[in-house]
Amino acid sequence: MSWMPVAEGFGMGASLIMMIGAQNAFVLQKGLQGQHRLPIALSCAMSDAILITLGVAGAGALILAHPTLLEVARWGGVAFLLWYGWAALRRAWQGESLLVGDGTRDGLKTALLATFAVTWLNPHVYLDTVVLLGSLSAQQPEGGRYLFGLGASLASFTWFLSLAFGARLLAPLFARPMSWRVLDSCMAAFMLSLALGLALN
């Protein structure tokens, strides 16, 4: 059995997953705060794996044939990004950002609901995982499409675990309130610009 499709899937999956997006920004923020790193990283990676598997199985054609599905995700994503961007803007303005290790934590349920929202309400995740990776997997030789999907899923697990736990290396920088105000300001600008982009797309 050739492992080349796994390597190709890993490379292609990594190139898509590592692009700056709302999901990565959210995982980075929670990683810096030390909040539920493992559950959040695994939730993102498992969601990607499910979508990649659907794409490999041929669900991309279903999404392209029913654009209403993407429209529902699009406007849900706009609403979530507006809410999250406004919350980040308010924290930056009022100086309410959490300090690393200050003991204040969101509940696991709240953190996971936000994780699923930032993942499943993003229409780009369907285009990247289900449609694009699904189409690329179909170009693999006989028996290689699911190995390609396996590689792409492994890339997702590797990236999100690295992002969530690697964020602690930046903890000394974010021990100061001003660092959090800058991060929240950037997060707010990023989330609100994404919301505008989705609304106008």
Side-chain angles (χ1 to χ4, degrees), residues 71 82 91 103 141 172 187 196:
E71 281 296 293
L82 286 174
R91 288 195 307 268
M187 287 274 291
L196 180 62

Side-chain angles (χ1 to χ4, degrees), residues 12-13 16 24 28 38 45-46 49 52 70 95 102-103 115 118 122 132 134 171 183:
M12 182 56 65
L16 293 175
N24 286 337
L28 175 62
L38 184 60
M46 290 175 65
I52 290 169
L70 284 179
D102 71 350
T115 303
V118 81
N122 179 7
L132 180 56
L183 177 64

Side-chain angles (χ1 to χ4, degrees), residues 74-75 77-83 189-201:
R74 179 164 76 102
W75 289 108
V78 168
F80 176 80
L81 290 170
L82 286 174
W83 171 80
F190 184 60
M191 295 293 185
L192 294 175
S193 65
L194 282 177
L196 180 62
L198 278 180
L200 298 178
N201 187 6

Side-chain angles (χ1 to χ4, degrees), residues 18-196:
M18 292 172 64
M19 294 176 62
I20 296 176
Q23 192 181 41
N24 286 337
F26 178 80
V27 174
L28 175 62
Q29 183 189 47
K30 294 305 179 184
L32 283 169
Q33 294 171 344
Q35 293 194 30
H36 313 296
R37 290 187 178 109
L38 184 60
I40 288 174
L42 290 180
S43 297
C44 289
M46 290 175 65
S47 295
D48 278 0
I50 291 171
L51 292 168
I52 290 169
T53 301
L54 290 174
V56 170
L62 177 65
I63 288 181
L64 292 178
H66 296 83
T68 303
L69 297 176
L70 284 179
E71 281 296 293
V72 171
R74 179 164 76 102
W75 289 108
V78 168
F80 176 80
L81 290 170
L82 286 174
W83 171 80
Y84 200 85
W86 169 250
L89 185 63
R90 186 182 61 189
R91 288 195 307 268
W93 179 260
Q94 298 178 351
E96 295 178 351
S97 300
L98 296 178
L99 298 180
V100 176
D102 71 350
T104 307
R105 298 170 64 87
D106 289 336
L108 179 60
K109 181 179 179 181
T110 300
L112 290 181
L113 285 175
T115 303
F116 290 132
V118 81
T119 301
W120 292 88
L121 292 179
N122 179 7
H124 294 298
V125 76
Y126 298 99
L127 296 175
D128 288 345
T129 56
V130 181
V131 178
L132 180 56
L133 290 177
S135 299
L136 292 174
S137 71
Q139 300 175 16
Q140 294 295 317
E142 184 67 25
R145 60 189 305 176
Y146 287 99
L147 291 175
F148 181 92
L150 173 63
S153 298
L154 289 175
S156 183
F157 277 92
T158 301
W159 170 250
F160 284 118
L161 288 171
S162 299
L163 184 62
F165 287 94
R168 68 176 63 184
L169 299 176
L170 298 174
L173 175 64
F174 286 89
R176 296 175 299 173
M178 181 54 66
S179 297
W180 280 104
R181 299 189 79 160
V182 172
L183 177 64
D184 278 327
S185 297
C186 293
M187 287 274 291
F190 184 60
M191 295 293 185
L192 294 175
S193 65
L194 282 177
L196 180 62

